[in-house]
Amino acid sequence: MSKGMYVPKESQPKQGGAASAKAKDGKRKIIAQNKKARHDYAIIDTYEAGLVLTGTEVKSLRQGRASLADGFVQIDGNEAWLHNAHIPEYSQGSWTNHAARRKRKLLLHREEIDKLAVKSEETGHTIVPLALYFKDGRAKAEIALARGKKEYDKRQTLREKQDRRETDRAIAAAKRKQRGA
């Protein structure tokens, strides 16, 4: 190509290699999951919410350090807040470090906040965080409107999961045997 010649953007070589392609394809890089929430609650509806974070919180999340075990979401004054999510202090941080268990604002649309507020007022319903992840370089939280499970529901779910696992094992063994014969 000669200097000054116009080349359409589509035919220009991409810069950044595979690393930049991974970041731009919209994949989720999961940081923390709340597996106990899926066990203790029947998930009714899920939402993706942005998080308002400080710089040291983002750096700590990028290191993959967070816990949602005790976390819950509360609607307060037409705003959604994530409480008790543990994001530990950034190890290289200074006096500007954040508090590990501070409440963090969730970014949702007004209709979603109103819908969650009405539903969470109903008996037995709560809003729980399911996961923290990065999507397109931005920290997101997956939250769910949930209803608490009774003890027998939890046992039934575990039984179904175990039955599914046993049938999958039996099918895999039959396929292996069939290939060998």
Side-chain angles (χ1 to χ4, degrees):
M1 281 190 287
S2 65
K3 194 172 184 180
M5 186 174 148
Y6 172 74
V7 179
K9 192 164 186 131
E10 300 85 44
S11 62
Q12 290 179 0
K14 297 208 188 286
Q15 295 180 356
S20 66
K22 276 185 195 174
K24 293 181 182 176
D25 66 357
K27 296 265 193 231
R28 292 174 20 158
K29 181 184 174 230
I30 295 180
I31 301 156
Q33 284 186 321
N34 190 355
K35 293 180 181 177
K36 192 165 174 62
R38 293 196 185 272
H39 178 262
D40 291 342
Y41 298 98
I43 307 300
I44 298 169
D45 202 4
T46 60
Y47 298 90
E48 180 180 68
L51 281 165
V52 177
L53 300 172
T54 63
T56 55
E57 286 174 320
V58 175
K59 289 181 178 191
S60 186
L61 286 177
R62 289 209 187 277
Q63 290 179 339
R65 302 170 60 205
S67 172
L68 295 172
D70 301 328
F72 64 95
V73 176
Q74 197 171 37
I75 307 294
D76 184 34
N78 292 327
E79 293 179 339
W81 295 89
L82 177 62
H83 293 268
N84 280 353
H86 185 263
I87 300 175
E89 289 185 351
Y90 181 55
S91 56
Q92 283 85 35
S94 61
W95 58 271
T96 59
N97 248 335
H98 61 279
R101 289 206 182 265
R102 74 177 189 89
K103 70 178 189 175
R104 295 164 179 92
K105 187 175 180 180
L106 294 174
L107 304 173
L108 290 162
H109 291 284
R110 168 67 52 220
E111 305 86 44
E112 292 173 334
I113 292 173
D114 293 340
K115 188 177 179 181
L116 283 170
V118 169
K119 290 286 189 177
S120 66
E121 296 291 320
E122 293 178 14
T123 308
H125 287 81
T126 187
I127 309 166
V128 293
L130 298 177
L132 282 178
Y133 55 91
F134 281 105
K135 182 177 177 185
D136 296 330
R138 299 182 188 233
K140 304 282 186 180
E142 182 180 19
I143 61 172
L145 179 67
R147 182 176 53 249
K149 283 185 182 176
K150 303 282 190 235
E151 194 63 37
Y152 58 84
D153 288 336
K154 293 178 191 178
R155 277 183 290 211
Q156 180 65 28
T157 305
L158 285 173
R159 195 173 301 119
E160 288 171 0
K161 188 176 179 180
Q162 188 176 4
D163 291 344
R164 222 175 306 124
R165 194 176 299 136
E166 287 176 6
T167 35
D168 290 344
R169 282 185 191 144
I171 291 170
K175 284 183 180 179
R176 274 194 303 266
K177 191 174 183 182
Q178 191 177 27
R179 273 188 263 142

